[in-house]
Amino acid sequence: MRRTLMLCLVAATAACSREQAAPAASAGTSFASIPARHYGLGRAATPEEVAARDIDVGPDGAGLPTGKGSAELGAQLFQQKCAMCHGPKGQGMPPAFPLLVSRDPKAEGFKFASDYKLPHSIGNYWPDATTVFDYVRRAMPLLQPGSLTNDEVYSLTAFLLAANDVIPMSASLDSASLMQVKMPYRDKFVPDNRKGGSEVK
């Protein structure tokens, strides 16, 4: 057994020695000037494949697609596609599946700095309603991310916001109305607009 391991080690060392080592980057050397090493794996993504994944939505709503949905329909979709992980009332199943719905009076007022154990939910912590749409669209359901239609995502977003007392349960959302939703503690967040230089720590 030991002889076999030694032979494998010698063979691996010999194989590695035939590879030309990539030049080390010295001080002041641009990484762009170092030749890339290719291993013959994979292929370039097609424009269609890139477009299918380039669906992020900004806090200002940039990138929101066409479509619409209601909180009432979202409540039904939540039970069908989300409740198995997040619970029938959005209460979560810690530690794997987080709380989504809560307006616990103890956690109101944005007191998380004084008590980190306070429950964080969409309603009492998230700064932008568009982020709810973006995350659900790209990452949910857990085992089938990207499988929801835009109308379904608008409906689920409406339900989650309504369940957190941000909008009425009778509300419907599209791109225009979603951008008008102001989260309860939006003003507690400070945009990081630093451009660089000494001010960036």
Side-chain angles (χ1 to χ4, degrees):
M1 181 68 179
R2 184 174 180 180
R3 178 181 175 82
T4 302
L5 290 175
M6 290 298 294
L7 289 174
C8 290
L9 180 60
V10 170
T13 303
C16 290
S17 66
R18 290 196 296 268
E19 292 284 345
Q20 182 179 356
S26 57
T29 300
S30 168
F31 282 101
S33 65
I34 300 176
R37 301 180 67 183
H38 299 281
Y39 297 94
L41 299 175
R43 59 172 175 78
T46 66
E48 292 76 17
E49 289 169 332
V50 173
R53 290 161 178 78
D54 185 18
I55 59 172
D56 59 298
V57 174
D60 60 354
L64 280 171
T66 57
K68 61 181 179 179
S70 68
E72 183 179 354
L73 177 57
Q76 299 174 32
L77 288 168
F78 187 87
Q79 296 304 318
Q80 296 168 8
K81 299 177 180 290
C82 314
M84 66 284 293
C85 292
H86 293 287
K89 296 182 179 180
Q91 73 272 23
M93 296 184 185
F97 305 110
L99 167 78
L100 298 179
V101 177
S102 176
R103 293 306 297 271
D104 187 336
K106 293 183 296 184
E108 294 298 320
F110 216 76
K111 304 171 184 175
F112 304 109
S114 59
D115 186 354
Y116 71 93
K117 293 183 180 179
L118 290 172
H120 295 62
S121 71
I122 290 173
N124 70 12
Y125 191 76
W126 288 40
D128 299 293
T130 52
T131 304
V132 180
F133 182 98
D134 176 63
Y135 189 79
V136 171
R137 185 188 187 198
R138 290 187 294 108
M140 294 290 128
L142 179 63
L143 300 180
Q144 292 179 304
S147 63
L148 299 170
T149 67
N150 292 335
D151 287 352
E152 288 175 327
V153 180
Y154 275 113
S155 293
L156 283 166
T157 302
F159 166 70
L160 289 170
L161 293 174
N164 279 281
D165 298 328
V166 178
I167 62 175
M169 191 59 75
S170 59
S172 294
L173 291 177
D174 57 13
S175 60
S177 56
L178 179 55
M179 286 189 288
Q180 297 302 313
V181 175
K182 183 177 180 180
M183 300 301 284
Y185 295 105
R186 175 68 183 86
D187 295 338
K188 296 294 185 179
F189 290 81
V190 178
D192 185 353
N193 58 4
R194 296 171 296 178
K195 304 301 181 182
S198 59
E199 63 183 10
V200 178
K201 306 298 182 185

